[in-house]
Amino acid sequence: MTEMLDFIGSIPMDSNSFWEEHRKKDIFINGNNQVQINVQCLMSAKYYTNEERMFTGFLNKFEEYGMQEEYHKDDITREENVKNILSNYFIVFKPNVSGRYFIIEDIALCAKPKFYQQGMSFVSVAYFKEKGTIEEYIRQITKSGIRSITGLSNTAPIPYILWQQKDTSNIYLIGRKEGFKQWENMIRIMETGLVYYQLNDFEKSRLILNPRNERECIGFVETEVHSQLLKYLETEQEIIVEPPKTAIITSSPVSNPVPPVVSETIAEPIVNKLKELINKDGFSYSDKDLINFHTAMKLRSFVVLEGISGIGKSRLVNFYRQALNLTDEQYRFVSVRSSWTDESDLLGYPDMINQLYRPDHDGVVDLLIEAQKNPEKMYLLCLDEMNLARVEHYLSQFLSALEMPEGDRWISLYNKEIELKNATKYPARIQLKDNVLFVGTINRDETTYHFSDKVLDRVNIIQLGVSGLKDVSYITSLNQEELALLEEMHNILQKSQWNKGIGYRIIKQIDQYMSSLSTTQSILSRQDALDLQIKQRILSKLRGDRSSFEGILLVQGSDTIPLLDCLNKYVTLSNFEDTKLVIDNKVKELTNYGYTM
């Protein structure tokens, strides 16, 4: 075994059987008072000469995952603590022969899937993920070849590679019966006899990826599925590469009824699902805003939703969460407090007196740790009203980390030199993988802080607009003419400042007020009720200096009052006596004092 290949292994599932077979403990304290770990190799036997299929390593190889020696504890506790953690993971490693020992190097942990059973084995395969269609990718690689991946055996032809279409869950086998030859770190893709096949859900669930690099890495396919994939190379239709044509893709039936563990990724159909959920709940957003939001989220940067109060920023995030089919464990909605001053408010802090890490109350750290353990799942973190506190103070680590390349994004919880009792559960550092989406919502008023240029350079700020008040389906009492009035008033308010206007929350509450109006009394008519609601729910928010109301209550060089002109067009609804009185008073305040409250 002269090549440094990537292997996959696991600690034995049954310690007693392992002892009976090898006369060794799976995890033990060695003569140097170190935790030593015996890893059972799960590769098909053709990859190595170690008949025992056994490799060994030491706990210091796992430090980046927060696992450290606990010398102050007894040996049994130390062994059990390590076993409890590693029993949930596969260990990806490079084997290194040192004398009569087979040592594990360059390790990475990935979550052990539910389908795994003792005795299963795996075959390594080159895996790539890029944008474009399968036909475009095949035309590209037949001309230029593919750079081989470190950790893949180059001593024999490889029968196929796996390619995933970026931003979808589609994974394809590309291969030929005679295999692809390798030389000078390149995989040569021959045109003759080239075929491809789209993996079904069951086959995809049997693919394990090295978590260190999810765009180009060594994957591990369960041996029985690998044998089935080899058969496809003999039965699938050959691809005609030049001139480019679309090959016929046949999809084999799902051969196992067990529900697969399918990688959760964002694809364009998400927008259609999002629209379906929004329409079902009676909300309304423009298609342009939805596509803009979804596109920004796919970049894996920080996305911020901005808009007038009550427009549905938080609701849109929740709709998006539902469109991605995220469970409660995969989603955190955090209400930012105005008292937040540093990152400990968001992440928690090390309690040096009790030697414990105290995570945040909202579960942000727990979410990030779960995302690191389960790279095949998607996670979403939403910070609601995030500018109630200074973003630069509590979010600086995230903003800096998201600027780094994938694989180099880390969040530090505390100094790794500090020894904490729960360091295994809460390691000193957490890696931010691209399976975590970040979104926030903000308002702009006298209670919030403005973003600095440092923040603005690192986030996508999307201004949501009100889209068709008359199309909102949850309205039960307001008629079309009343909705037309409110929509026209909204448009006038928006002309002056985009953060003024009438949001969906206000519309819903006015509608609820009107539907609750008793029809058995004669003191307050529907006309007067509408007048009062405009006065109480809309005009009460109009405050500021003269420049803020140009085009709303004032028009330079004219006596026109646009908001008053709007009301006069709907005299059949009400005489708007109270509303007009408030407007008149506000115009006088602006004229006399340059400000209105």
Side-chain angles (χ1 to χ4, degrees), residues 1 13 25 32 80 92 113 137 238 240 254 275 289 291 360 386 402 414 424 482 484 518 530 540 550:
M1 187 166 50
M13 295 180 69
K25 292 181 68 176
N32 294 322
E80 287 299 319
V92 179
Y137 182 70
E238 182 177 344
I240 302 174
V254 178
K275 290 174 62 178
D289 281 345
I291 294 172
D360 64 289
M386 58 185 296
L402 291 174
Y414 55 89
T424 301
E482 290 167 339
S518 174
L530 179 63
S540 61
E550 186 67 35

Side-chain angles (χ1 to χ4, degrees), residues 358-372:
R358 304 291 186 184
D360 64 289
H361 297 296
D362 296 299
V364 174
V365 168
D366 292 313
L367 178 84
L368 298 179
I369 291 174
E370 284 301 306
Q372 180 177 282

